[in-house]
Amino acid sequence: MRQYPHLYIDGRWTEPIEPRERELVDPTHEEVFAQVALGGAADVDRAVAAARHAFESFSTTSVEERIALIDRVIDVYESHIGDFSELIAREVGIPVSNRAQVTGPAEHLRAARDVLREYPFESRVGSAIVRREPIGVCALISPWNWPVQTGVIKVVYALAAGCTVVAKPSLNSAASGVLLAQVLHEAEVPPGVFNLVNGTGREVGDALSHHPSVDMISFTGSTAAGKQVGAAAAGTVKRTCLELGGKSANIVLPDADLERAARWNIQRCFFNAGQSCHAPSRMLVHESQVEQVVPFLVDEARRYRLGDPLQRSTTMGPVVSAAQFTSIRDHIQSGLDEGARLVTGGVERPDGLDRGYFVRPTVFTGVTSDMRIAREEVFGPVLAVLSYRDEDDALRIANDSPYGLGGYVFGGRRTNAHRVVNGLRAGRISYNGAATDSHTPMGGYKQSGIGRSMGRFGLEEYLEVKSVYGFEDEAQALPTLFG
């Protein structure tokens, strides 16, 4: 049994004021494998006080000092990549073969460092100086589905801006949150600049959202939870950055390479066992071509090797928890009950896997926009295929959602596809499976969130803007803000 009995506050490992523990269940074997300390509101007060005190000096550090700090974090993080890979396999079922989960954070650390090197914290508008200054103490609440990467992105941009941090990982991934705190400790992040308080959203998350000494809150998670965070933060008029749920559509135009589009859609949708907010969980295919894509979808879905995520041959592990397992299977059953056509997968456990929260990779065709599997974020390996009449109909169906996090288009004629891309109401759009870029902003339209993370836009979430007048000579030496 692994033990994680401490919080990390003011540069020290410390027990909660009221010692409590939470058991962590290995989703592969449905057995407890670790215990983690739970903090409470009083621990949040301690952590926020430490961050507030540290902000006085850390906010005045030079860009060069913060770059050096990020470089140290990169070096230490890379020495622990194997530890992170093994730990997230145990706590949330992410296969060790999924290298992006542990190599991606290093890429984002470097991207933040690159942005920091070039960012103009002072610029000129006319004869005035416009300054960008760190916003203050930031509460960072990260999810379990990208347990290391999301936390790293939040922390590194806050540090790059000169802010101090109180972090709360999801309880499902609390152990990897502790390991990230260890990385920052070994990298000699100054005391109080980074603090970790594991705990429940109801207690620790709520305390952070309401806390009058927290200046900004960044939350990644479900839309329902994000609404609660936003409502709580409004009481003290905090800066709020929310990355929430998604129900992303992939529009496959009639002139697309159908096999490539179908296989890519399965790979992208079922990556991480479908537990990804940007997953293209709705695939829109012209009504005359649905039957052509089905064999490719079925073949690709059946290629996944389900099993122990610690085995390198495994390409899909279990979903994170019993609650998630039940919710996904309930959605699959709703698809059957509402008349969708099941072409592969289903509610039954995969063959040979009688234990663990394993879900069959599942594909439905004949889905209509009013069905639950078309409207709700299933957050599992379930694809809904919908048909459309023409491009305008495809855009109408794709945008007929409360979400707007991601979108995808496959097609041959670039001019035509570009029009469709521009018509999608979502924060990130990929054409023909193009890779994303860690320097570009990520965030959503509508109920998929507020604000952006990553790159220059991500850094600016942690900065306030100040206009200064009367220093005309000093202003002339600065770059102009608008070109």
Side-chain angles (χ1 to χ4, degrees):
M1 174 83 67
R2 302 186 188 190
Q3 300 290 339
Y4 301 92
H6 299 112
L7 312 177
Y8 186 74
I9 298 175
D10 204 14
R12 296 185 298 273
W13 297 102
T14 179
E15 292 185 356
I17 290 175
E18 298 180 9
R20 292 173 295 162
E21 295 178 334
R22 168 75 171 261
E23 293 182 337
L24 302 183
V25 175
D26 178 338
T28 303
H29 303 101
E30 301 183 48
E31 295 175 348
V32 174
F33 83 99
Q35 290 182 324
V36 64
L38 290 182
D43 300 298
V44 168
D45 287 339
R46 286 196 298 156
V48 171
R52 175 60 58 195
H53 178 72
F55 180 72
E56 295 176 12
S57 58
F58 189 68
S59 62
T60 66
T61 55
S62 67
V63 167
E64 291 73 23
E65 288 174 302
R66 298 200 295 278
I67 288 172
L69 174 59
I70 294 171
D71 278 335
R72 295 199 303 273
V73 173
I74 292 170
D75 290 341
V76 177
Y77 176 80
E78 290 188 327
S79 73
H80 285 286
I81 280 181
D83 300 325
F84 278 110
S85 184
E86 186 271 338
L87 185 55
I88 63 177
R90 290 297 306 274
E91 71 177 347
V92 289
I94 295 168
V96 294
S97 61
N98 183 344
R99 296 293 292 167
Q101 283 274 6
V102 290
T103 59
E107 295 175 10
H108 286 285
L109 288 166
R110 293 189 181 92
R113 179 196 59 193
D114 295 344
V115 170
L116 181 57
R117 280 177 175 156
E118 304 296 330
Y119 189 78
F121 285 88
E122 286 191 330
S123 54
R124 172 170 58 90
V125 175
S127 61
I129 297 172
V130 176
R131 283 177 54 82
R132 302 276 187 169
E133 300 178 343
I135 194 169
V137 175
C138 300
L140 310 180
I141 302 177
S142 53
W144 49 262
N145 61 318
W146 286 83
V148 186
Q149 180 161 295
T150 310
V152 163
I153 292 170
K154 292 179 187 296
V155 169
V156 71
Y157 283 100
L159 298 185
C163 296
T164 56
V165 166
V166 180
K168 190 204 90 65
S170 166
L171 273 182
N172 285 323
S173 54
S176 56
V178 173
L179 182 54
L180 180 58
Q182 180 64 36
V183 165
L184 296 169
H185 181 75
E186 292 178 19
E188 299 180 350
V189 172
V193 171
F194 174 85
N195 306 273
L196 176 82
V197 182
N198 275 318
T200 65
R202 184 172 298 175
E203 192 167 0
V204 172
D206 189 65
L208 287 168
S209 301
H210 282 97
H211 206 290
S213 292
V214 170
D215 301 292
M216 185 262 197
I217 188 160
S218 176
F219 172 86
T220 301
S222 71
T223 295
K227 290 177 180 178
Q228 295 175 341
V229 169
T236 49
V237 198
K238 289 177 178 31
R239 172 82 60 81
T240 306
C241 183
L242 306 173
E243 185 195 334
L244 307 178
K247 192 67 181 176
S248 301
N250 176 22
I251 298 177
V252 181
L253 297 174
D255 62 349
D257 181 331
L258 296 182
E259 179 174 2
R260 179 172 175 237
R263 293 190 184 279
W264 181 91
N265 202 122
I266 290 291
Q267 294 163 12
R268 184 66 181 84
C269 184
F270 293 174
F271 183 80
N272 214 39
Q275 298 167 125
S276 182
C277 49
H278 280 84
S281 54
R282 291 183 297 155
M283 183 178 178
L284 277 58
V285 181
H286 191 269
E287 58 189 5
S288 68
Q289 297 176 318
V290 172
E291 291 308 312
Q292 294 178 56
V293 303
V294 168
F296 303 129
L297 295 172
V298 171
D299 179 68
E300 196 65 32
R302 291 178 178 174
R303 293 187 180 200
Y304 281 93
R305 296 185 298 276
L306 279 67
D308 189 335
L310 288 169
Q311 299 296 321
R312 295 198 176 276
S313 59
T314 295
T315 57
M316 184 182 290
V319 299
V320 67
S321 65
Q324 189 72 5
F325 178 69
T326 299
S327 174
I328 295 167
R329 297 197 342 163
D330 181 58
H331 277 92
I332 294 172
Q333 186 61 52
S334 78
L336 297 170
D337 294 343
E338 292 179 358
R341 174 192 169 203
L342 180 70
V343 296
T344 191
V347 296
E348 300 83 6
R349 283 182 174 273
D351 294 340
L353 293 171
D354 298 327
R355 297 186 67 187
Y357 307 129
F358 292 94
V359 177
R360 290 177 179 268
T362 297
V363 177
F364 284 102
T365 61
V367 179
T368 56
S369 292
D370 58 338
M371 294 181 182
R372 280 184 65 196
I373 55 172
R375 301 206 63 80
E376 297 181 7
E377 186 176 34
V378 179
F379 224 58
V382 180
L383 174 64
V385 180
L386 296 87
S387 64
Y388 66 86
R389 295 187 304 276
D390 53 33
E391 289 177 10
D392 289 338
D393 190 39
L395 281 170
R396 179 191 61 77
I397 294 169
N399 290 330
D400 181 22
S401 170
Y403 301 111
L405 195 56
Y408 308 87
V409 175
F410 273 78
R413 289 178 293 165
R414 297 177 67 86
T415 302
N416 205 43
H418 196 261
R419 185 188 80 84
V420 176
V421 163
N422 290 342
L424 283 169
R425 299 283 295 167
R428 267 192 165 194
I429 313 296
S430 175
Y431 171 56
N432 279 348
T436 57
D437 185 332
S438 56
H439 290 82
T440 58
M442 181 169 73
Y445 287 29
K446 299 184 281 187
Q447 293 188 36
S448 284
I450 299 170
R452 294 296 183 268
S453 67
M454 297 168 45
R456 178 174 178 147
F457 289 84
L459 177 64
E460 290 179 345
E461 289 290 340
Y462 297 92
L463 297 171
E464 282 284 19
V465 183
K466 176 187 287 183
S467 297
V468 180
Y469 309 98
F471 291 87
E472 292 84 359
D473 292 343
E474 290 83 354
Q476 290 306 309
L478 298 173
T480 58
L481 183 60
F482 302 111

